[in-house]
């Protein structure tokens, strides 16, 4: 059997652990720059608020309902996710970390135990040890387990449901709208609805060859899964990313090249940290910058540029040099820029870097410099040792006026009990 665990309103729940006054209140989490809603509590959903709503609009409409808005605190959310997954992982070694707030577990090793009690114990331990409520579903396949979790989240008092037999499977599939099926996006939803396919059950009884024709092999595998045949494999190891990028909107108007360079180098540093964390190197750089498309009274400019490195590398200072050359080529005076972004791609394992006789960025000297940089920052905190060109004040940073503290990752923010 397959177990699927999904944290309830994860971003909001993480904030509530350290701020109990938010419990049972309508709460929204805002995007970078505090412009739009990216996550919300069930109380906020009940008011009619949706992801993507503008904060100014919803505060004017629902502020009198006690609506609370918070800036995204991804450092906190990432750490809370690690804590949840660590507890969940104590119950089985066969896990797939699907996203920051979701995981699958394969319980094929647990044939002679009471599955319901075992999984409920894991669910309760996660709540006890982390403070994060979790909904859990059990099914024969990953798609059915996801369906069981959706049902548990919306229809059960304890946030747990197991699909017990074929009759139960059919009942849940008839309950689930086809657009809410895992893997069916808006594109296929509209096509299926036009064909009279309204529920997951309607989809499951379609001819397999018709599904394959309409949605290719990916849709066919999903169709098989909903019919109880396991076709979507477990990924016990997190696959390497195809690319790593960063691009955040500025909180103020940025016009100077030096400001753009500073921001770009900060973003690049974050990307390189992730790159080395996965023991990868990159061979392709892409830089872009653009103005604010919503400022229709201002001149508009968008430009991107890419570069293929002779040899893949993971050294921040090497990539920084190339990235600055690219940025200088696309920068134009006379514009007020809203965003600069960087994307690293063509990633390869460090042990598989193809050397070049005439160009070698991965020298022993560069390796020692990077090692010192990582060692110091791992010991004393991110960016405690940095390149001077990254700056310190960062007046261009996106607004985060409603940011909570980093309760679990910064010793200065640890809650003190009086």
């Amino acid at each position: 059997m397959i177990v699927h665990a999904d944290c309830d309103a994860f971003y909001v729940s993480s904030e509530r652990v350290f701020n109990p006054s938010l419990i049972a209140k309508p709460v929204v989490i805002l995007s970078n720059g505090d412009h739009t809603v990216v996550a919300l509590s069930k109380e906020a959903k009940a008011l009619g608020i949706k992801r993507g709503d503008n904060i100014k609009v919803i505060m004017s409409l629902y502020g009198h309902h006690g609506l609370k808005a918070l800036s995204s605190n991804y450092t906190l959310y990432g750490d809370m996710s690690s804590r949840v997954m660590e507890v969940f992982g104590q119950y089985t070694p066969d896990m797939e970390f699907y996203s920051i707030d979701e995981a699958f577990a394969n319980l094929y090793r647990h044939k002679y135990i009471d599955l319901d009690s075992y999984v409920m114990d894991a669910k309760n331990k996660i709540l006890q040890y982390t403070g994060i409520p979790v909904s859990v579903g059990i099914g024969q396949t990953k798609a059915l387990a996801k369906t069981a979790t959706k049902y548990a989240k919306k229809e059960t008092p304890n946030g747990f449901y197991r699909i017990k037999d074929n009759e139960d499977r059919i009942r849940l599939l008839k309950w689930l709208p086809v657009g809410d099926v895992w893997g069916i996006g808006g594109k296929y939803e509209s096509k299926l609805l036009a064909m009279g396919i309204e529920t997951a059950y309607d989809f499951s009884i379609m001819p397999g060859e018709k599904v394959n024709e309409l949605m290719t092999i990916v849709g066919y595998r999903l169709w098989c899964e909903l019919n109880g045949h396991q076709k979507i494999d477990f990924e016990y190891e997190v696959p390497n990313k195809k690319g790593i990028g960063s691009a955040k909107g500025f909180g103020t108007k940025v016009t100077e090249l030096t400001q753009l360079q500073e921001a770009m180098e900060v973003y690049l540093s974050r990307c390189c940290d992730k790159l080395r964390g996965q023991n990868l190197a990159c061979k392709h750089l892409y830089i872009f910058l653009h103005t604010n498309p919503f400022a229709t009274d201002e001149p508009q400019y968008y430009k991107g540029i890419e570069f293929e490195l002779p040899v893949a590398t993971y050294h921040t200072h090497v990539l920084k040099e190339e990235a600055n050359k690219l940025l200088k080529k696309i920068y134009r005076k006379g514009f007020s820029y809203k965003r600069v972004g960087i994307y690293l791609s063509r990633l390869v394992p460090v042990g598989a870097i193809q050397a070049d006789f005439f160009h070698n960025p991965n020298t022993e000297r560069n390796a020692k410099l990077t090692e010192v940089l990582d060692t110091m920052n791992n010991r004393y905190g991110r960016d405690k040792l940095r390149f001077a060109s990254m700056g310190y004040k960062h007046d261009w940073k996106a607004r985060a006026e409603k940011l909570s503290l980093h309760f679990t990752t910064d010793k200065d923010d640890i809650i003190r009990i009086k």
Side-chain angles (χ1 to χ4, degrees):
M1 299 295 284
I2 306 298
V3 176
H4 175 251
D6 185 9
C7 300
D8 298 339
F10 177 61
Y11 288 1
V12 174
S13 294
S14 296
E15 299 283 358
R16 284 172 168 171
V17 170
F18 302 97
N19 187 357
S21 68
L22 298 174
I23 294 174
K25 300 282 180 60
V27 181
V28 296
I29 306 298
L30 305 177
S31 60
N32 288 319
D34 290 350
H35 298 301
T36 57
V37 175
V38 296
L40 63 166
S41 66
K42 66 178 182 180
E43 294 84 3
K45 290 180 181 178
L47 292 176
I49 300 172
K50 301 180 179 62
R51 288 183 178 87
D53 283 350
N54 182 275
I55 182 58
K56 292 181 179 179
V57 173
I58 63 172
M59 288 305 293
S60 66
L61 293 174
Y62 309 110
H64 63 284
H65 289 282
L67 178 64
K68 303 292 183 181
L70 296 170
S71 303
S72 298
N73 190 342
Y74 294 115
T75 302
L76 174 65
Y77 309 150
D79 187 68
M80 293 302 292
S81 173
S82 298
R83 293 169 185 235
V84 169
M85 299 308 172
E86 182 179 359
V87 178
F88 193 33
Q90 293 173 5
Y91 284 80
T92 175
D94 304 301
M95 283 185 61
E96 175 186 333
F97 303 106
Y98 183 67
S99 69
I100 192 172
D101 62 346
E102 291 183 74
F104 289 100
N106 193 336
L107 296 185
Y108 73 94
R109 300 173 189 262
H110 304 72
K111 297 179 180 179
Y112 307 108
I113 63 172
D114 182 343
L115 280 182
D116 289 15
S117 298
Y118 191 72
V119 172
M120 277 298 295
D121 185 60
K123 171 179 157 50
N124 293 333
K125 280 293 193 299
I126 291 172
L127 179 62
Q128 178 185 353
Y129 292 165
T130 70
I132 303 295
V134 177
S135 294
V136 179
I138 303 179
Q140 289 178 286
T141 67
K142 290 170 77 173
L144 288 175
K146 284 270 287 187
T147 301
T149 303
K150 284 181 180 290
Y151 186 82
K153 195 180 289 281
K154 294 183 178 182
E155 304 290 345
T156 68
N158 62 353
F160 171 77
Y161 195 81
R162 176 165 67 94
I163 298 176
K164 304 172 186 65
D165 50 37
N166 191 54
E167 183 178 335
D168 203 16
R169 176 187 70 87
I170 292 173
R171 183 178 64 83
L172 257 65
L173 293 184
K174 288 182 177 180
W175 166 84
L176 185 65
V178 71
D180 290 343
V181 174
W182 179 42
I184 293 183
K187 174 184 174 182
Y188 288 121
E189 179 187 11
S190 58
K191 290 183 178 180
L192 291 168
L193 289 174
M195 297 167 57
I197 308 299
E198 298 181 354
T199 67
Y201 177 72
D202 296 336
F203 175 71
S204 71
I205 61 174
M206 287 177 65
E209 59 273 15
K210 183 67 175 179
V211 173
N212 195 18
E213 178 185 337
L214 178 68
M215 300 174 61
T216 71
I217 187 63
V218 176
Y220 178 74
R221 287 172 181 163
L222 175 60
W223 176 83
C224 291
E225 290 256 327
L226 291 177
N227 282 295
H229 308 295
Q230 192 169 340
K231 293 292 182 179
I232 302 176
D233 295 331
F234 259 69
E235 295 182 352
Y236 293 114
E237 294 185 5
V238 178
N240 289 331
K241 295 182 178 180
K242 294 181 180 180
I244 297 174
S246 182
K248 299 179 178 68
F250 299 131
T252 60
K253 290 185 177 181
V254 172
T255 59
E256 300 300 320
L257 175 61
T258 53
Q259 294 174 294
L260 292 170
Q261 288 175 319
E262 186 177 276
M264 185 270 295
E265 290 190 17
V266 170
Y267 302 158
L268 175 63
S269 177
R270 303 286 182 269
C271 291
C272 288
D273 288 344
K274 295 177 182 178
L275 195 68
R276 293 193 291 272
Q278 297 183 43
N279 202 32
L280 296 173
C282 94
K283 201 170 189 299
H284 191 269
L285 276 174
Y286 177 72
I287 307 287
F288 73 88
L289 53 81
H290 65 74
T291 53
N292 185 355
F294 299 105
T296 54
D297 58 331
E298 297 179 358
Q300 298 293 311
Y301 178 74
Y302 179 97
K303 188 69 174 179
I305 187 171
E306 55 188 339
F307 178 71
E308 189 82 4
L309 294 158
V311 177
T313 186
Y314 54 88
H315 300 299
T316 304
H317 61 288
V318 175
L319 293 168
K320 181 171 79 75
E321 182 179 348
E322 298 296 341
N324 273 309
K325 291 177 184 176
L326 297 178
L327 187 60
K328 288 178 182 178
K329 288 182 179 180
I330 61 174
Y331 170 73
R332 297 291 182 272
K333 287 185 177 182
F335 293 98
S336 178
Y337 293 100
K338 181 62 179 177
R339 190 185 305 271
V340 65
I342 185 161
Y343 187 71
L344 312 180
S345 60
R346 291 203 58 192
L347 308 184
V348 298
V350 170
I353 294 175
Q354 293 293 316
D356 185 293
F357 185 78
F358 299 102
H359 187 92
N360 180 24
N362 303 307
T363 62
E364 183 178 351
R365 178 178 178 276
N366 285 342
K368 287 182 177 179
L369 175 59
T370 297
E371 183 181 358
V372 169
L373 187 72
D374 289 343
T375 300
M376 295 295 287
N377 288 330
N378 289 336
R379 181 179 300 175
Y380 298 108
R382 190 169 71 180
D383 291 342
K384 285 296 186 286
L385 182 63
R386 69 174 81 188
F387 296 97
S389 55
M390 290 169 58
Y392 280 90
K393 292 183 66 176
H394 297 166
D395 295 333
W396 42 262
K397 283 186 68 174
R399 285 184 302 169
E401 298 170 355
K402 307 175 187 298
L403 185 68
S404 56
L405 300 177
H406 296 137
F407 301 103
T408 64
T409 56
D410 190 325
K411 61 181 179 60
D412 295 327
D413 290 346
I414 293 175
I415 293 177
R416 292 174 173 82
I417 301 176
K418 297 181 180 180

